[in-house]
Amino acid sequence: MSILVNKDTKVIVQGFTGKEGTFHSQQCIDYGTKIVGGVTPGKGGQTHLGRPVFNTVKEAVDATGATVSLIFVPPAFTADAVMEAADAGIDLAVIITEGAPVKDMMYAKMYGTKKGMKTIGPNCPGIITAEECKIGIMPGFIFKKGPVGLISKSGTLTYEASNQVVKEGLGITTAVGIGGDPIIGLSYKQLLPLFEADPETEAIVMIGEIGGTLEIEAAEFIKQNITKPVVAFIAGQTAPKGKRMGHAGAIISGGQGTAQEKMEALRNAGVHVVESPADIGKTVAQVLGK
Amino acid sequence: MNIHEYQAKEIFREYGVPVPRGEVAFSGPEAKEIAQKLGGDLWVVKAQIHAGGRGKAGGVKLARSPEEVEKIAEEMLGMTLVTHQTGPEGKKVEKVYIEEGADIQKEYYLGMVLDRSSEMPVMMASTEGGMEIEEVAAKNPEKIIKVAIDPTIGFQGFHGRKLAFSLGLSKEEIRPFIQFAEALYKVYMDKDANLIEINPLIKTGDGKFLALDAKMGFDDNALFRHPDIHEMRDLSEEDPVEHEAEKYGLSYVNLDGNVGCMVNGAGLAMATMDIIKHEGGEPANFLDVGGGASAQTVAKGFELILQDENVKSIFVNIFGGIVRCDRIANGILQATKEVEVNVPVVVRLDGTNANEAAEILKNANIPNIIPATDLADGAKKAVAAAKGEL
């Protein structure tokens, strides 16, 4: 078992024939993901990486039965691509693109929600169900199968955490990189119950960072609804106020969104909060008694 | 990206958000000329820097004659203002804004930001205008009224009425206030702003609303469609090293410590700063070299870090995913040939081909390159090296 995606999930790629789209689609295919086609307006009818190319998402969905779209479309056109996916009946859009305007993503997410489509990202590594299905840009080999669900705002920190978990002799069910932009799709609060319901997931790792209040909301949710052990790390304990730390959302503004207040809220919710990012794997092993 | 008050007020005028008349000046005589042109018998000279708290720091002064305007402008230009938002080093004043005096009957606060919980822009108002709004938020949060505006319906009368009645405005004042707020919403949305603050918003003796101050910030990701805003960027307001980093696609923020950090990915970069502190050291910077981490970006990273004379050691912490660690190791060796690195460099490479990378670094046998096995080991060694204990 896993959450959201598995070995049978049919995936199309928007921005299929571009440089990034081509490289990462090939990597996903090599991992075993069922990439069933792609969309590049104007290139419909061609074949790329041995898969059909379509002009529109609707055509791709009708022809292939895809339910997930992986999006590499450049920032100025990302929202358009997301809304096209929603309009075509896609269930889940995984948005890799970095640098999409916040206003665009605000509208795109609202429209996606209206059409019943979930989104992940933007500006994220994507989602991977270990040894089954990789929909994103993460290095697949790090994610060995095991009992730990992973939710993270940061890309390389996701790899770091998974690597530590695997080094402890454990592994991952599904890992979701949710991204660190001010507006993102699925977040802790929506993903935690999926892991709670997944019989193979025994523990959950959540990695947060400074800025916003998603981790605080997650803490409240965990307190009420989650029975599986949760291990958390919040990046940016040493970040100064008012300075943006790389991610568009990673800024402490008006004294809000500090690592300390998030760690405190999570601790109060019974979460195992680690202060050092080197202790994530160890702590997971401890709480699972392994 | 942030802009100056005078630039924000130009945008406000364009959208019909009422502001007092005024112009920017770069010298004393120019300031005097502007005062004469504006006329009247009261002027305000305001230092133009990207930071709040100017009033308390001596950056906003009243003048009663054009000659006094000139004198104040001359004093202000070139002076370094230290406010609670500039940091102890302060900011140098290079331009002043000359504005007609206003008849202030009451001061309010009006602002707009993106509310990340509701995922909508939110307009905030308070009767505590002219005060530090962060202080108000901390001590009397009930005095800040917030209205989230769903962009699919846009600004409606009820949004405005909710704010106006909460501010205790009279019947006659409600209409001009709502017009003001609606125009402000349009500015925020049209220009892809991520922050607007008017503190104070004033009510004049004749019942008009005027933006006495104006602070605006924009979504960097949207600047490509706003060349006019992009042109307003003032590089003298930015850290030159941070700006240099940006040119190479790197994200750098200078900090106070002595352990330099070079990391791929923003989250891991923050986590690296955290673990340095956890191991008893102080990070000298945040530096995200991005997913690629080529010889060129690593070389540039070394250059940026070493511009800071406090740096006593460097911790290179790279998690190789799609980019293989052996290639990154070669990149680091190449970079140390291009840039003179005179402090110990602790290198932790993990991920794809990590063993090959360790072999490459070992065989290169460069005395000030110290390999580390994992995150904790790397942080410990970097901290020890900075203290001269390695």
Side-chain angles (χ1 to χ4, degrees):
Chain A
M1 284 292 283
S2 55
I3 69 164
L4 294 167
V5 299
N6 60 38
K7 60 182 186 344
D8 299 319
T9 304
K10 287 184 183 170
V11 183
I12 54 160
V13 180
Q14 287 176 262
F16 190 38
T17 56
K19 188 169 158 256
E20 294 284 308
T22 300
F23 178 79
H24 290 291
S25 297
Q26 186 61 57
Q27 298 266 326
C28 291
I29 291 168
D30 294 346
Y31 194 77
T33 309
K34 279 207 174 107
I35 304 277
V36 293
V39 177
T40 299
K43 292 194 177 174
Q46 298 181 10
T47 300
H48 185 64
L49 307 179
R51 269 82 179 158
V53 182
F54 300 91
N55 282 324
T56 67
V57 179
K58 184 78 174 75
E59 283 169 23
V61 168
D62 287 347
T64 65
T67 56
V68 175
S69 179
L70 173 58
I71 299 178
F72 288 102
V73 172
F77 314 106
T78 306
D80 179 11
V82 175
M83 292 192 266
E84 184 184 354
D87 187 61
I90 286 285
D91 292 335
L92 172 68
V94 181
I95 313 157
I96 305 301
T97 309
E98 177 180 356
V102 173
K103 185 169 77 177
D104 295 10
M105 292 320 298
M106 181 168 73
Y107 283 117
K109 189 180 173 188
M110 280 179 180
Y111 185 67
T113 306
K114 192 177 161 188
K115 289 279 177 177
M117 181 180 79
K118 300 181 184 79
T119 51
I120 293 176
N123 191 12
C124 76
I127 175 169
I128 183 166
T129 288
E131 297 170 29
E132 288 192 32
C133 174
K134 164 177 126 108
I135 306 174
I137 59 170
M138 63 288 273
F141 79 97
I142 300 165
F143 299 86
K144 300 273 186 284
K145 220 175 191 29
V148 182
L150 179 54
I151 312 169
S152 169
K153 270 188 180 175
S154 145
T156 41
L157 208 41
T158 311
Y159 315 158
E160 174 71 42
S162 176
N163 198 43
Q164 286 183 26
V165 166
V166 169
K167 277 184 178 168
E168 295 291 334
L170 299 164
I172 301 293
T173 47
T174 302
V176 190
I178 61 175
D181 274 15
I183 298 237
I184 58 171
L186 295 178
S187 171
Y188 307 107
K189 219 167 125 176
Q190 292 84 41
L191 293 164
L192 285 163
L194 302 182
F195 280 124
E196 176 78 12
D198 174 33
E200 273 180 19
T201 300
E202 292 169 29
I204 304 161
V205 172
M206 70 174 261
I207 294 172
E209 60 189 29
I210 54 163
T213 55
L214 291 176
E215 293 85 350
I216 308 252
E217 289 162 30
E220 281 159 27
F221 185 83
I222 290 167
K223 210 173 186 175
Q224 305 293 332
N225 304 290
I226 302 296
T227 59
K228 293 178 181 177
V230 181
V231 174
F233 171 73
I234 305 293
Q237 296 164 45
T238 48
K241 276 182 194 170
K243 287 271 187 187
R244 199 169 99 177
M245 295 284 142
H247 286 160
I251 182 164
I252 300 169
S253 44
Q256 294 278 304
T258 65
Q260 281 70 20
E261 61 183 319
K262 293 182 181 193
M263 290 163 78
E264 180 72 23
L266 287 163
R267 269 195 204 104
N268 289 340
V271 172
H272 305 266
V273 179
V274 298
E275 279 180 25
S276 163
D279 294 340
I280 298 168
K282 258 185 277 180
T283 310
V284 173
Q286 266 165 24
V287 301
L288 286 178
K290 298 196 177 164
Chain B
M1 191 195 103
N2 297 322
I3 57 173
H4 288 291
E5 173 195 2
Y6 77 93
Q7 295 166 321
K9 284 181 172 172
E10 270 169 35
I11 299 172
F12 280 12
R13 275 189 203 103
E14 202 186 302
Y15 278 80
V17 178
V19 293
R21 294 181 307 134
E23 274 179 49
V24 69
F26 297 85
S27 71
E30 203 183 340
K32 182 180 165 187
E33 220 175 277
I34 291 167
Q36 282 164 339
K37 202 161 76 183
L38 290 172
D41 54 9
L42 183 67
W43 296 266
V44 192
V45 184
K46 307 172 89 175
Q48 297 296 291
I49 57 166
H50 287 183
R54 291 174 301 171
K56 273 186 199 158
V60 178
K61 288 192 168 155
L62 290 174
R64 307 216 168 257
S65 69
E67 289 69 32
E68 202 185 348
V69 168
E70 181 176 14
K71 186 169 155 276
I72 294 172
E74 264 167 7
E75 284 164 7
M76 231 179 246
L77 286 162
M79 98 188 219
T80 299
L81 269 190
V82 180
T83 82
H84 70 286
Q85 287 185 358
T86 59
E89 67 279 6
K91 278 193 171 167
K92 197 172 165 198
V93 180
E94 289 180 348
K95 37 199 162 285
V96 290
Y97 189 58
I98 314 300
E99 200 168 64
E100 62 182 349
D103 169 21
I104 304 174
Q105 198 195 61
K106 179 148 178 59
E107 297 187 326
Y108 301 93
Y109 169 92
L110 191 64
M112 273 193 85
V113 290
L114 173 77
D115 174 35
R116 285 164 63 176
S117 298
S118 64
E119 302 183 326
M120 292 175 193
V122 59
M123 198 175 276
M124 299 174 294
S126 175
T127 51
E128 307 302 292
M131 309 254 302
E132 268 322 316
I133 201 68
E134 289 176 7
E135 231 169 84
V136 179
K139 284 184 193 155
N140 304 89
E142 76 286 353
K143 291 204 167 159
I144 300 175
I145 311 123
K146 294 180 182 173
V147 178
I149 303 166
D150 183 335
T152 55
I153 62 167
F155 187 93
Q156 298 292 327
F158 77 88
H159 294 124
R161 290 194 296 275
K162 191 173 167 194
L163 293 170
F165 284 117
S166 303
L167 291 176
L169 300 184
S170 71
K171 207 177 151 205
E172 303 75 55
E173 291 160 357
I174 285 175
R175 232 178 104 91
F177 174 81
I178 291 180
Q179 279 169 351
F180 187 104
E182 185 170 13
L184 194 71
Y185 174 78
K186 193 157 168 36
V187 172
Y188 182 91
M189 292 304 286
D190 275 11
K191 297 293 181 189
D192 280 283
N194 60 14
L195 171 83
I196 298 183
E197 272 196 320
I198 301 174
N199 193 15
L201 162 74
I202 60 156
K203 190 168 73 190
T204 58
D206 52 0
K208 288 191 183 119
F209 289 93
L210 277 179
L212 211 56
D213 192 14
K215 195 174 170 185
M216 269 188 101
F218 301 88
D219 175 9
D220 290 353
N221 288 347
L223 286 175
F224 70 87
R225 60 187 172 207
H226 300 289
D228 54 330
I229 304 289
H230 198 251
E231 239 170 60
M232 292 181 174
R233 184 170 179 183
D234 182 351
L235 289 177
S236 70
E237 286 285 336
E238 296 174 29
D239 183 306
V241 185
E242 289 172 22
H243 179 241
E244 173 81 5
E246 189 195 302
K247 277 200 282 188
Y248 291 85
L250 310 180
S251 177
Y252 174 93
V253 177
N254 190 35
L255 302 167
D256 297 332
N258 61 8
V259 182
C261 309
M262 185 173 349
V263 191
N264 64 334
L268 190 58
M270 277 189 275
T272 304
M273 290 158 43
D274 294 344
I275 197 168
I276 285 168
K277 181 101 175 175
H278 190 77
E279 297 296 345
E282 287 290 339
N285 64 278
F286 166 95
L287 174 58
D288 173 11
V289 293
S294 65
Q296 200 208 350
T297 52
V298 171
K300 196 70 213 171
F302 279 132
E303 244 178 64
L304 292 168
I305 291 172
L306 291 167
Q307 289 192 24
D308 179 352
E309 287 169 4
N310 294 329
V311 170
K312 295 286 183 288
S313 73
I314 297 174
F315 182 17
V316 178
N317 181 21
I318 297 203
F319 202 102
I322 301 296
V323 185
R324 303 190 324 254
C325 290
D326 52 330
R327 288 187 59 184
I328 298 167
N330 282 321
I332 291 169
L333 295 179
Q334 183 66 35
T336 53
K337 282 175 199 153
E338 284 167 25
V339 185
E340 199 200 331
V341 182
N342 49 10
V343 298
V345 180
V346 177
V347 181
R348 179 266 177 149
L349 294 173
D350 210 334
T352 320
N353 292 3
N355 294 335
E356 289 86 339
E359 204 58 25
I360 290 168
L361 291 178
K362 208 175 105 193
N363 293 339
N365 208 11
I366 300 176
N368 65 343
I369 291 195
I370 304 158
T373 52
D374 60 26
L375 190 51
D377 181 50
K380 280 191 187 102
K381 284 177 173 161
V383 170
K387 290 179 178 163
E389 293 167 357
L390 201 75

